[in-house]
């Protein structure tokens, strides 16, 4: 049961992240939702690493890679949000349609 | 069930409840400063879950990187773009939210059904490794060496890109002959940028 418990927690976290990603209007909150989803993936990796591959720990190495990519993503994403805020004077996702048409 | 397993089960329940509740707060609370602080709570609870999964190094890295770097970065971004604005009402916003919630709940049910109905090939007993740090270090410098180096290059590229995207363009001001006014000297010089005209008002 413990493996299933961790996986269900990760699934719930991922679904909360998707809900926030789609419905929130503030661009910073969208980035926070992406962080939630990445953390859910990390919980999955570590759970499988512990219960299925406990002597090799490959999942922990992948989790470290995911953490480093997430840090880079957060820095670039927040820089893009700042840049759009300077040019459009808003952080509303509904008005970010520069590339749409 | 002996004492250790009981403590583990109780910690799992408490940490899971903290994680889910704080994540709901991140998504649902209207004030974004509160949700940024709750995001730190989510990260700390998740590092507790990592400790339950025998991943001590990843738990420490989680606290150092997420709480120490990413969360602080998000707080700085909120302070920089914190503008009280009333969002314009969008057509069918309630329908959108309800649809999204239904889709997310459906996805969660699907994932939970898959998790509980799959027979996992669990190893009978979890091997006690002397130190996870030694094994991770061996992996990083033998069979995962190329992704490790690529990650370092990617971090450098992200650093340069973030600086270029977010920096201010200073105007080389003409040499001031007298002392400038107080509020003028305190203001950050920035080249005035024309506001891009949104196309949403003219079309749709």
């Amino acid at each position: 049961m413990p493996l299933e418990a961790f996986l269900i927690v990760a699934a719930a976290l991922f679904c909360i992240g998707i809900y926030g990603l789609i419905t929130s209007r503030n661009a910073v909150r969208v980035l926070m939702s992406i962080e939630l989803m990445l953390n859910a993936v990390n919980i999955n990796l570590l759970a499988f690493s512990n219960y299925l591959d406990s002597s090799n720990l490959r999942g922990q190495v992948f989790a470290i890679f995911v953490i480093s990519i997430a840090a880079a993503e957060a820095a670039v994403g927040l820089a893009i949000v700042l840049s759009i805020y300077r040019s459009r004077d808003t952080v509303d996702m509904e008005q970010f349609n520069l590339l749409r048409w | 069930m002996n004492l250790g397993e009981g403590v583990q089960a109780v910690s799992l329940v408490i940490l899971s409840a903290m994680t889910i509740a704080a994540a709901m707060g991140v998504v649902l609370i209207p004030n974004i400063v509160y949700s940024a602080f709750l995001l730190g709570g989510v990260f700390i609870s998740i590092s507790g879950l990592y400790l339950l999964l025998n991943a001590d190094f990843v738990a420490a890295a989680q606290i150092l990187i997420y709480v120490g770097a990413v969360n602080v970065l998000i707080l700085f971004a909120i302070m920089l773009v914190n503008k009280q604005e009333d969002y314009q009402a969008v057509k069918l916003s309630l329908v959108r939210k309800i649809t999204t919630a239904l889709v997310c709940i459906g996805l969660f049910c699907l994932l939970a059904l898959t998790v509980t109905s799959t027979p996992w090939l669990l190893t009978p007993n979890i091997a006690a490794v002397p130190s996870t740090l030694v094994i991770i270090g061996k992996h990083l410098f033998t069979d995962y060496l190329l992704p490790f180096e690529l990650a370092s290059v990617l971090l450098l590229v992200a650093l340069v890109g973030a600086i270029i995207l977010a920096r201010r363009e200073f105007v080389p001001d003409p040499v001031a002959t007298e002392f400038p006014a107080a509020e003028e000297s305190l203001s950050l010089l920035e080249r005035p940028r024309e506001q891009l005209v949104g196309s949403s008002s003219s079309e749709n």
Side-chain angles (χ1 to χ4, degrees):
Chain A
M1 191 57 202
L3 174 63
E4 284 89 345
F6 283 106
L7 294 187
I8 286 176
V9 170
L13 202 59
F14 192 80
C15 294
I16 293 171
I18 289 181
Y19 178 79
L21 181 72
I22 295 178
T23 59
S24 50
R25 303 278 302 266
N26 196 326
V28 182
R29 199 190 293 263
V30 171
L31 287 172
M32 299 200 302
S33 305
I34 294 175
E35 298 296 331
L36 286 183
M37 291 163 66
L38 286 167
N39 271 290
V41 174
N42 267 345
I43 291 178
N44 259 334
L45 283 173
L46 288 180
F48 283 122
S49 160
N50 189 33
Y51 286 104
L52 272 70
D53 186 33
S54 60
S55 62
N56 240 331
L57 300 183
R58 290 193 195 91
Q60 298 196 13
V61 182
F62 277 99
I64 290 170
F65 285 135
V66 171
I67 287 176
S68 62
I69 304 294
E73 174 262 341
V76 176
L78 289 171
I80 290 174
V81 168
L82 265 181
S83 176
I84 295 179
Y85 176 72
R86 289 217 193 103
S87 63
R88 297 294 295 263
D89 202 24
T90 180
V91 285
D92 189 1
M93 290 298 285
E94 296 289 335
Q95 298 181 22
F96 290 169
N97 51 7
L98 286 172
L99 290 181
R100 213 189 318 171
W101 42 64
Chain B
M1 181 182 284
N2 54 16
L3 183 62
E5 290 179 358
V7 170
Q8 277 192 7
V10 171
S11 322
L12 175 61
V13 170
I14 292 174
L15 287 172
S16 308
M18 278 173 60
T19 307
I20 300 300
M24 297 285 277
V26 168
V27 173
L28 296 178
I29 286 180
N31 192 341
I32 193 166
V33 181
Y34 293 163
S35 58
F37 280 108
L38 278 176
L39 189 69
V42 174
F43 291 153
I44 291 175
S45 323
I46 286 177
S47 82
L49 287 178
Y50 290 171
L51 284 181
L52 283 181
L53 288 169
N54 300 319
D56 45 0
F57 175 68
V58 185
Q62 165 92 5
I63 289 185
L64 280 178
I65 296 176
Y66 272 109
V67 184
V70 174
N71 205 6
V72 172
L73 194 67
I74 285 175
L75 277 171
F76 268 99
I78 288 172
M79 279 191 280
L80 285 177
V81 302
N82 199 4
K83 181 184 156 195
Q84 296 296 327
E85 59 179 335
D86 298 326
Y87 297 129
Q88 299 170 2
V90 179
K91 284 182 296 185
L92 299 177
S93 68
L94 190 63
V95 177
R96 282 191 201 184
K97 284 189 178 175
I98 291 172
T99 312
T100 313
L102 285 179
V103 169
C104 290
I105 291 171
L107 180 64
F108 173 69
C109 292
L110 185 66
L111 285 173
L113 192 66
T114 313
V115 164
T116 49
S117 66
T118 308
W120 301 107
L121 295 172
L122 296 179
T123 49
N125 48 357
I126 295 169
V129 292
S131 163
T132 60
L133 200 53
V134 174
I135 298 179
I136 291 174
K138 278 180 186 167
H139 275 305
L140 280 184
F141 283 99
T142 54
D143 46 354
Y144 293 104
L145 182 61
L146 182 64
F148 182 68
E149 301 291 340
L150 281 180
S152 65
V153 175
L154 179 99
L155 283 175
L156 179 67
V157 171
L159 175 73
V160 176
I163 289 172
I164 287 179
L165 278 173
R167 73 172 174 187
R168 292 169 177 271
E169 295 178 359
F170 280 97
V171 184
D173 49 351
V175 179
T177 51
E178 71 267 30
F179 288 112
E183 62 270 14
E184 189 182 345
S185 68
L186 286 178
S187 66
L188 272 174
L189 291 176
E190 191 175 5
R191 179 176 300 160
R193 232 183 242 192
E194 71 274 18
Q195 300 277 316
L196 296 174
V197 182
S199 63
S200 60
S201 57
S202 60
E203 293 178 40
N204 288 336

